[in-house]
Amino acid sequence: DQQVKQNSPSLSVQEGRISILNCDYTNSMFDYFLWYKKYPAEGPTFLISISSIKDKNEDGRFTVFLNKSAKHLSLHIVPSQPGDSAVYFCAASASGGGADGLTFGKGTHLIIQP
Amino acid sequence: DSGVTQTPKHLITATGQRVTLRCSPRSGDLSVYWYQQSLDQGLQFLIQYYNGEERAKGNILERFSAQQFPDLHSELNLSSLELGDSALYFCASSFPAAGNTIYFGEGSWLTVV
């Protein structure tokens, strides 16, 4: 049972436009959400996070939105740059019994086209 | 550089063999996590240790085991290897015990032939 779902395996966006990556979760105990970026043959790199007490968190070109009622979060990248081409993983954790690390989605491969 | 060090970076071994993957967490981090990434799969949580004690188990096979030593480095032991065990194995670390931001190493590529 996949508790964190990224339904788009890939996404192609033109350079300079907005990239929107989506993530859905099913476990209502999740209260902390993260996005990781991964280049081929490298480890995932932490990008941005959001706590369930917020509905938006912004860091430079990256903004994460959380809709708790819909159990949905999204990552917006504006403007998209060629270096943003990578696989993006959504992850979630439950702080109460959160000793089981993070639960990851399967990732979305973002391709920024020139 | 995340500060998490994994060795070896690449490993090729035969079916039935046993290998050990090593991980040094970031300085000060008490928790170590192991994840597996196979082709077309996301990051599968295997196991977590906190300050030397096993904290949580995920989808870890019985042929696999791990431990965390007093100096906080960790080893993942994979035995009776099968072709399907070929994957990228990531170690990650964090300071608090509960799930939070974790920092990944660059991974160990295991190829079983």
Side-chain angles (χ1 to χ4, degrees):
Chain A
D1 177 32
Q2 222 180 327
Q3 297 188 65
V4 177
K5 299 178 185 178
Q6 294 178 256
N7 292 319
S8 299
S10 67
L11 175 67
S12 184
V13 174
Q14 200 164 13
E15 182 180 356
R17 306 294 288 268
I18 183 172
S19 295
I20 300 176
L21 296 96
N22 294 303
C23 177
D24 297 294
Y25 62 96
T26 57
N27 188 341
S28 57
M29 298 298 292
F30 287 148
D31 59 4
Y32 189 68
F33 305 89
L34 308 90
W35 285 94
Y36 282 81
K37 175 181 179 179
K38 184 182 181 302
Y39 292 118
E42 293 185 11
T45 303
F46 169 71
L47 198 55
I48 192 169
S49 64
I50 188 167
S51 164
S52 61
I53 62 173
K54 292 185 173 183
D55 54 17
K56 177 182 174 181
N57 189 27
E58 193 171 350
D59 183 2
R61 296 186 297 114
F62 302 91
T63 303
V64 56
F65 295 92
L66 175 62
N67 183 335
K68 284 180 299 220
S69 60
K71 292 193 177 68
H72 177 83
L73 65 154
S74 61
L75 174 68
H76 292 210
I77 306 174
V78 183
S80 300
Q81 299 175 354
D84 297 330
S85 294
V87 177
Y88 290 78
F89 290 97
C90 170
S93 74
S95 59
D100 57 351
L102 299 174
T103 302
F104 284 83
K106 290 194 173 184
T108 296
H109 186 192
L110 176 64
I111 302 161
I112 305 301
Q113 295 184 333
Chain B
D1 183 6
S2 67
V4 178
T5 304
Q6 289 187 247
T7 57
K9 288 195 182 342
H10 301 274
L11 189 57
I12 301 174
T13 190
T15 55
Q17 294 299 305
R18 181 179 188 275
V19 298
T20 297
L21 309 180
R22 194 179 190 278
C23 170
S24 294
R26 294 187 319 158
S27 177
D29 283 357
L30 300 179
S31 278
V32 170
Y33 309 78
W34 287 97
Y35 284 83
Q36 178 194 57
Q37 184 182 24
S38 304
L39 282 174
D40 299 326
Q41 293 290 320
L43 291 156
Q44 300 290 322
F45 170 68
L46 296 179
I47 198 165
Q48 179 201 358
Y49 279 81
Y50 174 72
N51 204 20
E53 300 288 328
E54 181 183 305
R55 185 81 177 194
K57 260 187 177 179
N59 301 318
I60 188 166
L61 299 172
E62 285 190 11
R63 299 183 285 107
F64 296 179
S65 65
Q67 54 185 327
Q68 186 180 27
F69 296 88
D71 67 353
L72 301 176
H73 91 271
S74 178
E75 293 181 354
L76 178 67
N77 301 297
L78 315 173
S79 61
S80 303
L81 285 167
E82 302 175 359
L83 295 177
D85 297 327
S86 296
L88 194 50
Y89 292 85
F90 288 107
C91 171
S93 73
S94 70
F95 176 71
N100 213 311
T101 305
I102 63 177
Y103 297 89
F104 285 83
E106 295 198 348
S108 292
W109 267 108
L110 172 65
T111 303
V112 182
V113 297

